[in-house]
């Protein structure tokens, strides 16, 4: 079974608009971390934002925020005021405390920002 | 800002040849990882390394793979006898501490092409 699901293979958004990228996860571990990474066409993986399973508030980092709904096991990334440079692949990843220290990645969502 | 570096950025090799991919993790980090991403697919965990030994490995990381920290700065991934299906982007990552909150910082990747 997939541990991380990203149901949107591709998304389009108009410049300056907000966009939500979906991520749902599956774990029985009560302690876990959720991460979002951006991968531009150049290939590198850039860390964007982190949400802990025990965090009471949704994480925010500049224009990035995470809509964390624990009961639904979803951790959607919200990008506000999209910029052309936001066009990239976006990966949701999870790390479970009791299942090792490696990340499990989702299949990614390709975001295209339109001028 | 400190960053993970990887060399070479691109490597082309013949099937059956040995390759060594090199990484320099962030200097005060203690945990090191290798991931791979086959073209168009998600990022997959290969191996994690701590205190000069492998702490976890995935089923992808078979006997053809090995990792080493030959000195205080480098972290290498060796593929003994490359196969066509080893063609992928290989990412090195490092983290300072162990724990589900710890962000892993990724290098820019090495794109390996096996002919």
């Amino acid at each position: 079974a997939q541990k991380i699901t990203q149901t949107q293979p591709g998304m389009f958004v108009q410049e300056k608009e907000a966009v939500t990228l979906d991520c749902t996860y599956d774990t029985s571990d009560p302690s876990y971390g959720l991460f979002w990474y951006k991968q531009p066409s150049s290939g590198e993986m850039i860390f964007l934002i982190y949400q802990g399973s025990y965090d009471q508030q949704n994480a925010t980092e500049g224009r990035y925020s995470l809509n964390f709904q624990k009961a639904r096991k979803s951790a959607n990334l919200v990008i506000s005021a999209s910029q052309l440079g936001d066009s990239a692949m976006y990966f949701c990843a999870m790390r479970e405390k009791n299942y090792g220290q490696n990340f499990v990645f989702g299949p990614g969502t390709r975001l295209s920002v339109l001028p | 800002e400190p960053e993970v570096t990887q060399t070479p950025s691109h490597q082309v090799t013949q099937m059956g040849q040995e390759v060594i991919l090199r990484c320099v993790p962030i200097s005060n980090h203690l945990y090191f990882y290798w991931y791979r991403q086959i073209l168009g697919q998600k990022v997959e965990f290969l191996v994690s390394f701590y205190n000069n030994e492998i702490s976890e490995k995935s089923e992808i990381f078979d006997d053809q793979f090995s990792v080493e920290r030959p000195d205080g700065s480098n972290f290498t991934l060796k593929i003994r006898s490359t196969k066509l299906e080893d063609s992928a982007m290989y990412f090195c990552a490092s983290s300072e501490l162990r724990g589900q909150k710890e962000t892993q910082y990724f290098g820019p990747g090495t794109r390996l092409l096996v002919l």
Side-chain angles (χ1 to χ4, degrees):
Chain A
Q2 293 292 327
K3 287 215 164 189
I4 299 284
T5 303
Q6 294 179 254
T7 57
Q8 308 150 314
M11 289 279 286
F12 290 90
V13 64
Q14 209 67 41
E15 197 178 5
K16 299 189 179 69
E17 298 287 311
V19 63
T20 298
L21 307 183
D22 294 341
C23 172
T24 56
Y25 58 92
D26 182 27
T27 181
S28 56
D29 194 334
S31 183
Y32 53 90
L34 296 158
F35 301 77
W36 278 91
Y37 284 83
K38 172 184 177 181
Q39 186 179 43
S41 56
S42 49
E44 71 268 33
M45 296 283 284
I46 302 167
F47 166 71
L48 295 178
I49 196 167
Y50 160 81
Q51 179 84 45
S53 58
Y54 293 118
D55 293 344
Q56 294 296 314
Q57 293 189 319
N58 287 341
T60 60
E61 288 284 347
R63 292 187 300 111
Y64 304 107
S65 60
L66 207 150
N67 183 2
F68 181 47
Q69 298 186 46
K70 193 170 180 178
R72 296 179 61 187
K73 292 188 175 177
S74 76
N76 299 338
L77 176 71
V78 180
I79 306 174
S80 62
S82 299
Q83 302 171 355
L84 296 178
D86 294 334
S87 294
M89 281 290 284
Y90 288 81
F91 291 97
C92 179
M94 177 173 64
R95 181 190 231 171
E96 298 160 283
K97 181 180 179 183
N98 293 326
Y99 293 94
Q101 297 304 308
N102 54 291
F103 281 176
V104 175
F105 283 85
T109 295
R110 183 171 296 282
L111 177 67
S112 299
V113 180
L114 305 174
Chain B
E1 187 174 320
E3 57 184 20
V4 178
T5 60
Q6 288 185 244
T7 53
S9 58
H10 294 78
Q11 172 107 37
V12 181
T13 190
Q14 293 287 327
M15 190 171 61
Q17 295 294 305
E18 174 184 286
V19 295
I20 297 176
L21 309 183
R22 291 184 167 80
C23 168
V24 179
I26 294 173
S27 62
N28 63 330
H29 285 188
L30 301 176
Y31 298 87
F32 315 117
Y33 312 84
W34 283 101
Y35 292 83
R36 79 168 186 194
Q37 184 183 30
I38 294 171
L39 187 64
Q41 298 186 23
K42 64 181 177 182
V43 179
E44 300 172 292
F45 169 73
L46 292 178
V47 65
S48 60
F49 191 86
Y50 169 70
N51 201 26
N52 284 321
E53 60 183 28
I54 291 173
S55 44
E56 287 173 85
K57 58 183 181 178
S58 72
E59 25 185 70
I60 303 169
F61 193 88
D62 61 22
D63 292 344
Q64 293 298 314
F65 291 90
S66 62
V67 289
E68 196 176 39
R69 188 153 162 84
D71 53 43
S73 58
N74 289 287
F75 178 52
T76 62
L77 174 70
K78 182 193 290 187
I79 309 174
R80 286 191 186 81
S81 177
T82 49
K83 304 187 282 280
L84 295 176
E85 53 265 37
D86 294 327
S87 295
M89 179 78 103
Y90 287 82
F91 290 103
C92 173
S94 70
S95 65
E96 185 177 359
L97 299 173
R98 179 180 175 93
Q100 80 276 16
K101 287 188 178 184
E102 287 305 311
T103 299
Q104 294 180 11
Y105 292 91
F106 283 70
T110 293
R111 191 174 295 282
L112 176 66
L113 179 61
V114 182
L115 302 175

